[in-house]
Amino acid sequence: VLELDKANCELSAVNTKLKEANEIKDSYVIQSLYSDTAFVNHVEEKCKSMSQKIKAKQYGDLSTLIHDVGVKQERERLSSAFDSTFLKLFPNFIEEYNKLFPTEHQVAVATDGTLPTEVRIFALMRLGIKDSVIVANYLNLSLNTVYVYKAKVKSRSLVKKEDFESCIMQIPKL
């Protein structure tokens, strides 16, 4: 009976983690479908315009169209969408994250709802994306920059550097 209770507890814990993973996946799939479709449609429209300008030999207008594709604005929009979705999934993340630091090194969500880059790195980790190459690509940072952010954050923490990532992974989803 004791072994059965133990097995049931372990199964319950696994089911809870699976449910959380599915909720995270579903939220990001929906966000990605919307974001990717909107941007692809925008780029497609600009490519058609560029093609027309090339055919009409209006080369001077091409640089304006290239700028109008808005990659920088799209990256900002994606970051904002990520932050918003992540904070809906983990509304207590910033509060729990801040518990790992002395007061002078605690962070806040910006007035526009965006997360600091170093928090985004650990938010991605909490979602299960631990590969720094993937994190760097997603955030449009160099791999070295990701390593520097991680090292800097861990050095300010109240917990041991080797335990920091484990503490991040333990932040619960509400």
Side-chain angles (χ1 to χ4, degrees), residues 1 3 14 18 21 25 31 41 51 60 62 66 76 99 108-109 121 123 140 150 159 164:
V1 174
E3 288 180 29
V14 169
L18 283 173
K25 174 195 57 102
Q31 176 198 337
N41 290 342
S51 181
L62 287 175
I66 290 169
E76 289 171 2
K99 289 178 182 178
V109 176
I121 290 169
N140 194 35
K150 288 170 105 177
V159 300
F164 186 81

Side-chain angles (χ1 to χ4, degrees), residues 64-82:
T64 302
L65 283 172
I66 290 169
H67 177 72
D68 287 347
V69 169
V71 173
K72 182 179 178 184
Q73 293 87 347
E74 179 61 14
R75 284 196 187 281
E76 289 171 2
R77 192 186 64 69
L78 283 173
S79 292
S80 179
F82 170 83

